[in-house]
């Protein structure tokens, strides 16, 4: 297979991400199963690509060596995971294997896209297909809402997210897409069949559609704050470069008006969905009373019950190991001391896992992780970057998150070194990569979600190509 055909295959892979997501959601809901055929379809293109690359270049030994490292880590991690699993664990070895495979495919895809596009001019084509994917997301969500078939963002019936599993993951995908789409408004290097005017109109409509969904429909903080942050950065960049290089005032005025309208509309309407959710959560805060203090609890009812059972000595180690029990007691004490809101689940999970690592004190678990699914369901860590470190260990953190962190740091260093070549696109790509870290830390389900992971890979590929151009042009 020629590289051109392989590149087209990888372009199509980006464009069909929303279709795969819709198929997965529909299949699981219709047949009431956690398994979807798209899980097996997604790896086909990357596998074809890596086989072609393997047989057509001189990196065979390096690819075998790196694959062996990831494979060996996965085996050791699963062996240790098996020793930590208990009656209170959220998942099985098969479930943990799914995470290992998914994160390994994430690195495989990063390698494939960097290898093929880091110096190729066809990397610009990736932007087109991100645009196509974004349009499919927005159009499908609009159809779902108009036909009354949209799923709700929250189980309380708040927010609309179309035919997709997770509101946060769709928001992440669209927020990151904006970091690619916005600089395209003045990118004249893209050669299409349509006139430049039609391209600008299409891009503008897509961006407006994304803005309406993120600020008015989905009802998540990820969507609202993510959209506003990206738009503000874009306007600031264009303002700076307008003052520096006299960029046409039309672009600056159009962007400024778009931001202003979005903030006004968001301020007027988004509160209807988002504030409903916050009001519901605030009411939940006072609904559970801690019998030992007579005051509203700062941990959930399930965790409160576990804490009482631990203190009464009713939990044996087969159901929950001592280290986990001590970590729960530490969480309870900290939550009461700091008066944490009952609804801040991710913060509570984070505190619990810090305590758990301190209580375990085992070098093997520190290096290879104590397992993502070994914990009580409610305490499974949703924050992915801490999960890389705590649940997959120092080695897992370096293998899975390290490549993205290295590209980001390298891009910052090169940007400082070649600061005269910095433009809006570079800054927006940097912002997109940084937001992927923030969203992964705060919201979770970012790197593990197959589609948002691919957007992160495209961002990193475009950024790496951008800084490579700094040194060659």
């Amino acid at each position: 297979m020629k590289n051109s055909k392989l590149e087209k295959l990888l372009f199509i892979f980006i464009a069909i991400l929303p279709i795969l997501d819709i198929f997965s959601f529909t299949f699981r809901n219709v047949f009431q199963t956690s398994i979807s055929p798209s899980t097996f379809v997604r790896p086909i293109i990357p596998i074809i690509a890596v086989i072609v690359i393997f047989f057509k270049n001189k990196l065979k030994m390096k690819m075998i060596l790196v694959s062996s490292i990831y494979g060996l880590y996965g085996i050791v991690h699963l062996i240790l995971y098996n020793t930590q699993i208990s009656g209170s664990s959220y998942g099985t070895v098969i479930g943990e294997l799914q995470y290992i495979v998914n994160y390994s495919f994430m690195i495989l895809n990063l390698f494939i896209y960097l290898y093929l596009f880091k110096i190729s001019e066809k990397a610009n084509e990736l932007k087109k297909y991100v645009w196509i994917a974004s349009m499919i997301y927005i159009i499908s969500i609009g159809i779902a809402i108009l036909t009354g078939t949209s799923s709700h963002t929250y189980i309380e019936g708040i927010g609309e997210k179309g035919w997709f599993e997770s509101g946060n993951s769709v928001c992440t995908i669209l927020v990151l897409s904006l970091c690619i789409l916005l600089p395209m408004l003045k990118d004249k290097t893209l050669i299409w069949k349509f006139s430049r005017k039609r391209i600008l109109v299409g891009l503008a409509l897509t961006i407006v559609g994304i803005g309406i969904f993120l600020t008015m429909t989905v009802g998540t903080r990820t969507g609202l704050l993510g959209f506003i942050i990206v738009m503000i950065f874009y306007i600031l960049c264009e303002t700076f470069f307008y003052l520096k290089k006299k960029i046409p005032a039309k672009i600056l005025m159009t962007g400024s008006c778009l931001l202003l309208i979005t903030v006004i509309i968001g301020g007027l309407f988004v509160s209807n969905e988002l504030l409903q959710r916050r009001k519901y959560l605030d009411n939940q805060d006072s609904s559970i009373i801690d019998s030992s203090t007579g005051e509203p609890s700062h941990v959930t009812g399930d965790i409160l019950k576990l804490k009482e059972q631990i203190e009464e000595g009713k939990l044996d180690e087969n159901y929950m190991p001592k280290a986990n029990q001590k970590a729960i007691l530490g969480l309870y004490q900290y939550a009461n001391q700091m008066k944490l809101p009952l609804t801040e689940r991710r913060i509570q999970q984070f505190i619990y896992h810090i305590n758990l690592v301190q209580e375990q004190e085992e070098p093997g678990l520190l290096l290879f992780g104590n397992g993502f699914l070994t914990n009580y369901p409610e305490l499974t860590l949703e924050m992915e970057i801490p999960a890389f470190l705590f649940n997959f260990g120092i080695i897992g953190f370096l293998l899975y998150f390290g490549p993205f962190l290295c590209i980001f740091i390298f891009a910052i260093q090169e940007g400082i070194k070649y600061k005269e070549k910095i433009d809006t696109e570079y800054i927006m790509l940097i912002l997109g990569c940084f937001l992927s870290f923030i969203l992964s830390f705060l919201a979770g389900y970012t790197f593990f979600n197959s589609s948002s992971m691919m957007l992160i890979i495209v961002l990193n590929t475009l950024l790496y190509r951008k800084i490579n151009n700094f040194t060659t042009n």
Side-chain angles (χ1 to χ4, degrees):
M1 182 183 291
K2 293 181 179 180
N3 273 0
S4 59
K5 291 183 179 179
L6 188 57
E7 288 167 349
K8 287 180 182 177
L9 204 58
L10 295 174
F11 292 148
I12 293 170
F13 189 40
I14 299 298
I16 65 172
L17 290 177
I19 297 172
L20 291 172
D21 288 344
I22 291 169
F23 179 70
S24 176
F25 175 79
T26 306
F27 186 90
R28 286 172 178 168
N29 280 272
V30 169
F31 295 100
Q32 295 297 305
T33 177
S34 60
I35 300 171
S36 168
S38 66
T39 303
F40 305 99
V41 172
R42 286 181 190 270
I44 292 175
I45 292 177
I47 289 172
I48 292 172
V50 79
I51 290 173
V52 172
I53 293 171
F54 181 82
F55 286 106
K56 288 186 66 175
N57 68 79
K58 299 178 181 179
L59 299 175
K60 292 182 179 62
M61 290 308 299
K62 290 181 180 179
M63 291 175 69
I64 292 172
L65 177 61
V66 172
S67 300
S68 299
I69 291 172
Y70 278 89
L72 181 61
Y73 164 80
I75 292 170
V76 175
H77 174 81
L78 291 173
I79 290 172
L80 289 173
Y81 172 87
N82 197 44
T83 65
Q84 296 299 306
I85 200 167
S86 64
S88 63
S89 295
Y90 183 50
T92 63
V93 174
I94 298 299
E96 190 78 5
L97 175 62
Q98 184 183 355
Y99 279 84
I100 294 293
V101 170
N102 194 81
Y103 287 136
S104 298
F105 263 103
M106 173 180 71
I107 300 301
L108 177 66
N109 280 314
L110 179 63
F111 163 74
I112 292 168
Y113 278 82
L114 282 176
Y115 177 80
L116 288 175
F117 298 115
K118 66 180 178 181
I119 59 175
S120 172
E121 286 303 318
K122 288 189 177 180
N124 269 344
E125 296 286 315
L126 287 169
K127 302 174 189 177
K128 296 182 188 179
Y129 289 88
V130 168
W131 181 19
I132 292 170
S134 300
M135 284 193 290
I136 296 173
Y137 274 111
I138 291 303
I139 291 170
S140 68
I141 290 169
I143 293 172
I145 293 172
L146 290 174
T147 57
T149 57
S150 172
S151 58
H152 291 291
T153 307
Y154 302 105
I155 58 173
E156 301 83 23
I158 299 171
E160 304 280 353
K161 60 180 174 66
W163 303 311
F164 300 101
E165 293 283 356
S166 166
N168 266 334
S169 64
V170 175
C171 288
T172 297
I173 290 165
L174 294 175
V175 167
L176 297 181
S177 295
L178 283 174
C179 294
I180 296 171
L181 298 180
L182 286 167
M184 287 171 63
L185 288 170
K186 60 187 185 70
D187 188 347
K188 297 179 181 179
T189 64
L190 298 173
I191 302 172
W192 292 346
K193 296 178 182 179
F194 307 106
S195 67
R196 179 68 185 161
K197 185 176 180 180
R198 289 183 179 180
I199 291 170
L200 289 176
V201 170
L203 273 170
L205 288 175
T206 304
I207 292 167
V208 169
I210 291 173
I212 291 171
F213 171 69
L214 294 178
T215 60
M216 296 172 57
T217 307
V218 70
T220 67
R221 289 176 292 182
T222 300
L224 174 63
L225 297 178
F227 181 75
I228 291 175
I229 288 170
V230 171
M231 290 303 298
I232 288 174
F233 261 87
Y234 178 69
I235 299 303
L236 289 176
C237 287
E238 290 300 286
T239 302
F240 173 78
F241 289 113
Y242 169 72
L243 296 173
K244 185 178 178 182
K245 297 181 179 179
K246 298 294 180 185
I247 287 175
K250 269 187 185 178
I251 294 174
L252 180 62
M253 291 302 296
T254 302
S256 299
C257 290
L258 186 61
L259 174 63
L260 182 61
I261 291 169
T262 300
V263 172
I264 292 172
I265 291 175
L268 290 174
F269 296 103
V270 73
S271 55
N272 188 42
E273 294 291 344
L274 190 56
L275 292 183
Q276 275 188 50
R277 173 64 175 171
R278 300 320 300 172
K279 185 177 180 181
Y280 173 82
L281 293 178
D282 289 340
N283 291 335
Q284 289 289 98
D285 263 356
S286 56
S287 63
I288 301 174
I289 302 299
D290 187 340
S291 59
S292 62
T293 63
E295 298 179 355
S297 174
H298 295 286
V299 295
T300 65
D302 286 347
I303 302 304
L304 188 60
K305 182 185 287 187
L306 284 174
K307 171 257 179 186
E308 292 169 351
Q309 290 176 332
I310 292 168
E311 289 181 335
E312 294 168 5
K314 293 182 178 179
L315 292 185
D316 60 50
E317 290 199 50
N318 289 326
Y319 179 76
M320 182 177 289
K322 282 293 181 184
N324 300 65
Q325 295 182 31
K326 290 179 181 178
I328 288 177
L329 295 177
L331 165 62
Y332 173 82
Q333 183 179 1
Y334 182 87
N336 277 354
Q337 183 182 347
M338 302 303 295
K339 298 191 181 300
L340 288 180
L342 172 66
T343 52
E344 292 296 343
R345 304 286 176 86
R346 292 185 180 91
I347 294 176
Q348 295 190 16
Q349 292 166 0
F350 185 62
I351 300 303
Y352 164 80
H353 281 271
I354 290 175
N355 290 336
L356 179 59
V357 170
Q358 291 174 339
E359 293 295 340
Q360 286 177 324
E361 295 181 343
E362 295 181 32
L365 298 179
L366 188 64
L367 289 173
F368 292 91
N370 52 30
F372 184 69
L373 299 178
T374 57
N375 301 284
Y376 187 75
E378 203 170 291
L379 293 171
T380 300
L381 190 53
E382 295 175 54
M383 298 176 171
E384 285 177 312
I385 292 179
F388 282 140
L389 185 59
F390 296 147
N391 299 150
F392 295 95
I394 295 172
I395 295 176
F397 179 86
L398 294 174
L399 291 178
Y400 296 136
F401 183 64
F404 297 96
L405 185 59
C406 287
I407 292 172
F408 181 77
I409 293 172
F410 179 61
I412 293 289
Q413 290 175 338
E414 292 299 292
I416 295 171
K417 185 177 178 181
Y418 297 96
K419 54 183 178 292
E420 70 281 355
K421 296 184 179 182
I422 287 177
D423 57 12
T424 299
E425 183 182 33
Y426 167 83
I427 293 174
M428 296 306 293
L429 291 174
I430 284 284
L431 174 65
C433 292
F434 183 68
L435 280 176
S436 72
F437 300 161
I438 298 299
L439 292 172
S440 179
F441 190 94
L442 296 179
Y445 208 56
T446 301
F447 282 93
F448 185 70
N449 179 269
S450 299
S451 294
S452 63
M453 174 260 287
M454 288 308 304
L455 258 296
I456 295 169
I457 287 170
V458 171
L459 278 166
N460 278 268
T461 302
L462 293 173
L463 179 60
Y464 193 88
R465 179 181 174 275
K466 188 78 176 177
I467 58 179
N468 187 67
N469 286 344
F470 285 173
T471 60
T472 55
N473 295 336

